[in-house]
Each structure stands twice: as C-alpha cells, then as structure tokens.
Amino acid sequence: MPKLITWCEHNKNWLLAIMAVILIASYTIDFLYHSTEVDQSYYVGCARLILEGKYPFVDYNISYPPLVFYIVSIVLRIFPDTVYTHLAVLYAFICADTFIIYKLAKKINPSPYVSFLTIAYFLFLTIKSRGTMFVLEPFVLFFGLMSLLAVQSKNKKMLFVAGVSAMCAT
C-alpha cells in the first residue's frame, strides 16, 4: 500500500487529468443522451404556466416553493423551450454547486488536490445518483451552500446573504 501511495503522489497530475476526462465524458454523454423524466415535465410545465401569466398557489397547485419555477420561466423567456435549454439550466446550477463546494473545500484544506478531489467526488456522486435529472435538489443545494459559504465569511453583512439564501432554499 505505501508503494501505491507513493506512486499516486508522483503521478497525481496525470490522475487528476484522467479523472477530469472521465467526468467531462460522463457529463457529455448524459447531456447528449438524456431522457426526460416526469419531474422535468412538472417543473417545465409550471414554468410555462408562469409565462402564461398564471400564479402558483392561486391559479394552479404546486407542491414545492415556486422560486425554481420562476428561475426556469425566466430562462424560457430568453431561450427556446427545448430539452437542452432545460438541461443547461440544471447544469448551470450543478456548476455553481461545484464551485461553491470547491470554495468551501479550499477553506477547510488549502491544498488544490484535496479541493479537486472533493469536487470530483461530488460530480461522480451527482451523475451516479441521477443528480443530473431535472429535479429540485441541485437548485436547493445551491442556495443551501450559498448560505453556508456566507456564514463562513468574516464579513458580518454576509449574514444577511446567508439568511436570504437559506430562505430561498426552503
């Protein structure tokens, strides 16, 4: 085992490059051959109703906080309503989640390798656990992580950002 650890330390740049290629390939395949699930239809359908001028909880019943539906409706107002647009919104939030996890990992351990391994682990878990399906979790995770990052800041004004982010997560 010590020989393996020594070998990994000497070849860590190659290992990180291989992991990055595997991650990029996995997400590319997922993006190109993505199948639509029921949740995606639900979120996009609610966003379309918002674009038609209807209000959540008043004109139609929803089971979740409406912020995600408003975010998706804003994107659908700007870009064409396609499966790839829906996935682009989801992937943007996954990228934002990954960046915040990287920043939090940097605060815990300043080593760039530890930070990279942390985000690689997050991305592997995301693709393995169907995290790239259009569901509520990546959106909620973003606001929860934002509140955690704001609390970690030494600036007292960031506590307000933490509170707003925590409110958006629920």
Side-chain angles (χ1 to χ4, degrees), residues 43 46-47 50-51 54-57 60 62 65-77:
Y43 289 109
C46 290
I50 290 172
L51 286 175
K54 298 186 177 172
Y55 296 100
F57 303 115
Y60 61 96
I62 58 175
L67 181 63
V68 173
F69 306 121
Y70 281 105
I71 292 170
V72 174
S73 68
I74 290 168
V75 172
L76 292 181
R77 184 174 296 274

Side-chain angles (χ1 to χ4, degrees), residues 81-154:
D81 189 358
T82 67
V83 173
Y84 295 112
T85 304
H86 311 158
L87 286 177
V89 173
L90 177 68
Y91 283 173
F93 273 88
I94 290 174
C95 288
D97 293 343
T98 304
F99 177 73
I100 296 170
I101 288 173
Y102 173 79
K103 296 295 268 181
L104 289 170
K106 272 299 238 203
K107 287 181 180 257
I108 295 169
N109 188 334
S111 168
Y113 297 108
V114 172
S115 300
F116 180 81
L117 290 175
T118 303
I119 62 171
Y121 184 67
F122 167 72
L123 291 172
F124 277 127
L125 285 179
T126 300
I127 202 160
K128 179 68 177 150
S129 65
R130 294 181 40 215
T132 56
M133 297 297 174
F134 202 92
V135 291
L136 189 64
E137 287 78 8
F139 302 101
V140 172
L141 184 63
F142 169 76
F143 291 109
L145 289 171
M146 276 297 292
S147 66
L148 185 60
L149 188 63
V151 167
Q152 294 290 322
S153 173
K154 296 191 182 348

